[in-house]
Amino acid sequence: VGNYKRTVKRIDDGHRLCNDLMNCIHERARIEKVYAQQLTEWAKRWKQLVEKGPQYGTVERAWCAFMSEAEKVSELHLEVKGSLMNEDFEKIKNWQKEAFHKQMMGGFKETKEAEDGFRKAQKPWAKKLKEVEAAKKAYHAACKEEKLAISRETNSKADPALNPEQLKKLQDKVERSKQDVLKMKEKYEKSLKELDNATPQYMENMEQVFEQCQQFEEKRLRFFREVLLEVQKHLDLSNVASYKNIYRELEQNIKTADAVEDLRWFRANQGPGMSMNWPQFEEWSADLNRTLSRREKKKASDGVTLTGINQTGDQVPQLNKHSSSLSVQSNTVQSVQSSYNPFEDEEDTGSTVSEKEDNKNKNVSSYEKNQSYPTDWSDEESNNPFSSTDANGDTNPFDEDTSPAMEVRVRALYDYEGQEQDELSFKAGDELTKMENEDEQGWCKGRLDNGQVGLYPANYVEPIQ
């Protein structure tokens, strides 16, 4: 009696399982969304790094194909997320709402109906069972009383002090106990027989209610199986035609990488096969009659574009994503030093890869493909930035001034009127401070006593003894 509550509880469990399944799908959808976002961010960042990096030609296009693959796969995973939430999640939510009806006083209508059905079916049999238990208890009590009376009678016969009248009472008590036992036994057997007769009907009624609960549970189980199959279809990208095409296209892009073609392109655009701007005779011009100052030299070298380039020989011009004209920048090569290993495990470093990549997003390559090199050159050993001293790391060959000269007081030998804003003007006999030694063009940097700093011709002054 009352064990039907396990079956009734299964209805409440069904409602909770619907919530659990929805939460499960919701978490998977969130994972799909985060993965899609990470793929997109990864593709965007690495595409920029590869495009700016030193890789070129068909191998570069093959490398970039991985980023295109990531972007397309990201879109598919966003579609998976949408299917899970908009179709599967909503389907479970709507089914749960239709299958379970909440009551004003709490609980579900289906639970109450099942419990009422079981209680109604069990009530007559439970009543008879209670009568059987009472009859059983009375019969056992009578048997106990009979045994006690017989024991007293037996003991009294062995007692000579007991008179006949008392012995007669004990014998009467035994006789009555035997009659009570027979009476209780008959009543117990009768109630038990009535219970047995009521049992088939009881089982039929209980099974009828149980079958109703089974049918309700069967609907839920079949629905769950249907939903799980749909979730499987949404998650299985291997059956999506576009997913297969992504990797078929990726394989084709990688196979199109041609080392011979890339080497030929590099020779024609960056090597001996590129167009040259050989020195040509130039007429004298009044605008070019003075030596460039150091500052002007810096400005002029910021971007030297070679013009008048003619293709020579049997070179074949190729379309390139970079500029078709050769622009040489004065920015020097910057070596990037970093202890960051992009393939290092996150757990070994204590920080996430994304944090490292944010801090070291320039450390993938030591230089960029659009990077320029110094246009100044000299065959003098002192001007070689890769001399043995620099190679040992004692100085930075890319610093503009590695060893500034000591300030020296000098006196003007001649009058000089500055031609540019960065030049000093002084009279013969004026004293000033030389801040830097003479450069290749014959100019020095100095400071007048009024604090003005500028350039002046080195041969216009002499040191003060």
Side-chain angles (χ1 to χ4, degrees):
V1 174
N3 285 336
Y4 60 82
K5 292 188 180 296
R6 291 177 296 182
T7 305
V8 175
K9 183 177 180 296
R10 190 173 59 173
I11 299 176
D12 294 333
D13 291 342
H15 184 273
R16 182 175 60 83
L17 288 171
C18 288
N19 291 333
D20 292 343
L21 184 56
M22 284 191 289
N23 290 334
C24 178
I25 293 176
H26 182 263
E27 288 185 14
R28 178 57 186 266
R30 186 166 62 246
I31 292 173
E32 295 288 335
K33 179 181 178 181
V34 172
Y35 178 56
Q37 291 174 343
Q38 290 178 342
L39 279 178
T40 302
E41 293 171 0
W42 174 85
K44 181 179 179 181
R45 188 172 59 83
W46 274 96
K47 188 174 184 180
Q48 293 176 350
L49 291 173
V50 173
E51 289 178 348
K52 293 181 179 179
Q55 186 57 58
Y56 55 88
T58 58
V59 174
E60 178 191 358
R61 290 195 293 272
W63 192 346
C64 288
F66 281 101
M67 277 61 88
S68 299
E69 172 266 342
E71 292 173 347
K72 295 175 182 178
V73 172
S74 173
E75 294 177 359
L76 290 180
H77 281 281
L78 284 178
E79 292 179 2
V80 170
K81 176 256 178 184
S83 299
L84 292 176
M85 292 303 299
N86 298 332
E87 298 180 24
D88 303 329
F89 185 91
E90 290 297 326
K91 186 173 184 179
I92 300 172
K93 184 179 179 180
N94 294 332
W95 185 90
Q96 183 191 44
K97 188 176 181 180
E98 294 175 358
F100 299 90
H101 300 83
K102 291 186 178 181
Q103 297 184 118
M104 295 293 292
M105 301 302 292
F108 301 102
K109 178 182 177 182
E110 290 71 23
T111 303
K112 187 175 185 306
E113 289 178 351
E115 190 168 2
D116 291 344
F118 278 118
R119 189 184 294 111
K120 183 179 179 180
Q122 197 175 68
K123 188 175 181 179
W125 190 86
K127 184 178 180 182
K128 293 183 180 298
L129 179 64
K130 189 176 292 186
E131 293 176 356
V132 169
E133 292 293 334
K136 174 185 174 182
K137 186 176 180 181
Y139 169 68
H140 287 175
C143 290
K144 182 179 179 181
E145 189 67 26
E146 179 191 18
K147 184 178 180 180
L148 184 61
I150 294 174
S151 177
R152 287 174 181 174
E153 181 190 12
T154 303
N155 293 333
S156 64
K157 289 179 180 180
D159 188 4
L162 193 67
N163 56 40
E165 184 177 352
Q166 291 176 333
L167 183 60
K168 182 73 170 59
K169 288 182 179 179
L170 290 176
Q171 291 175 350
D172 292 342
K173 180 68 174 176
V174 171
E175 191 65 26
R176 286 197 304 271
S177 298
K178 290 181 178 180
Q179 292 178 0
D180 289 341
V181 167
L182 293 175
K183 184 179 180 181
M184 291 297 105
K185 183 178 180 181
E186 183 181 356
K187 187 176 181 181
Y188 179 29
E189 290 177 344
K190 180 180 179 182
S191 61
L192 192 60
K193 186 177 181 180
E194 291 178 355
L195 181 67
D196 291 340
N197 294 334
T199 298
Q201 183 65 38
Y202 160 68
M203 291 180 62
E204 182 180 350
N205 295 339
M206 290 291 287
E207 197 159 324
Q208 183 178 359
V209 181
F210 180 78
E211 283 301 319
Q212 293 176 356
C213 294
Q214 287 287 84
Q215 292 175 6
F216 183 83
E217 179 66 7
E218 182 183 11
K219 292 180 181 179
R220 185 190 69 83
L221 294 174
R222 291 186 180 277
F223 172 74
F224 269 40
R225 181 179 182 275
E226 177 186 347
V227 170
L228 292 174
L229 282 175
E230 292 183 5
V231 172
Q232 179 267 332
K233 292 179 182 178
H234 293 149
L235 293 177
D236 187 7
L237 295 178
S238 62
N239 292 327
V240 180
S242 58
Y243 188 75
K244 296 180 180 179
N245 293 335
I246 290 174
Y247 291 97
R248 191 178 298 113
E249 182 180 349
L250 175 62
E251 181 182 7
Q252 293 174 353
N253 287 330
I254 296 174
K255 287 183 177 180
T256 56
D258 189 345
V260 176
E261 173 67 19
D262 289 352
L263 294 174
R264 188 175 72 84
W265 176 90
F266 191 86
R267 178 183 180 86
N269 291 271
Q270 305 290 341
M274 66 185 295
S275 300
M276 302 297 180
N277 185 17
W278 299 109
Q280 298 178 0
F281 179 79
E282 298 181 8
E283 288 291 346
W284 177 86
S285 174
D287 295 335
L288 304 176
N289 63 344
R290 63 181 298 273
T291 306
L292 290 175
S293 67
R294 179 173 299 182
R295 184 180 301 180
E296 288 172 325
K297 184 172 71 173
K298 292 178 185 177
K299 294 178 180 178
S301 61
D302 282 346
V304 180
T305 303
L306 304 183
T307 58
I309 299 176
N310 297 321
Q311 291 284 354
T312 59
D314 55 354
Q315 301 165 358
V316 180
Q318 299 185 16
L319 295 177
N320 182 15
K321 68 179 178 181
H322 314 302
S323 174
S324 59
S325 64
L326 177 60
S327 178
V328 184
Q329 304 292 327
S330 66
N331 300 330
T332 56
V333 180
Q334 299 179 354
S335 62
V336 180
Q337 299 177 351
S338 171
S339 61
Y340 166 56
N341 181 357
F343 304 103
E344 193 173 16
D345 201 348
E346 293 180 12
E347 296 178 356
D348 296 337
T349 58
S351 59
T352 61
V353 174
S354 60
E355 292 173 350
K356 298 174 186 173
E357 291 169 346
D358 292 339
N359 297 330
K360 305 290 184 181
N361 57 0
K362 298 259 184 205
N363 294 352
V364 176
S365 177
S366 60
Y367 64 93
E368 297 181 356
K369 66 179 67 178
N370 291 330
Q371 178 176 335
S372 60
Y373 300 87
T375 56
D376 299 334
W377 65 275
S378 173
D379 57 1
E380 296 180 4
E381 185 177 355
S382 60
N383 290 327
N384 182 3
F386 302 100
S387 62
S388 60
T389 303
D390 296 338
N392 292 331
D394 296 335
T395 60
N396 185 350
F398 304 109
D399 288 340
E400 180 183 353
D401 297 309
T402 59
S403 57
M406 299 294 293
E407 293 186 353
V408 179
R409 294 290 291 177
V410 295
R411 180 183 294 108
L413 298 174
Y414 317 102
D415 294 346
Y416 181 75
E417 187 70 26
Q419 303 297 318
E420 301 291 341
Q421 292 183 355
D422 60 351
E423 296 180 5
L424 300 177
S425 299
F426 47 78
K427 301 292 184 179
D430 291 347
E431 294 183 1
L432 61 152
T433 302
K434 182 174 72 171
M435 301 173 62
E436 293 182 4
N437 293 329
E438 178 182 356
D439 61 11
E440 298 175 358
Q441 308 299 332
W443 290 80
C444 288
K445 185 176 181 181
R447 181 179 65 249
L448 297 178
D449 291 341
N450 61 7
Q452 182 182 359
V453 178
L455 302 174
Y456 63 88
N459 56 359
Y460 272 54
V461 301
E462 65 176 358
I464 299 177
Q465 301 297 333

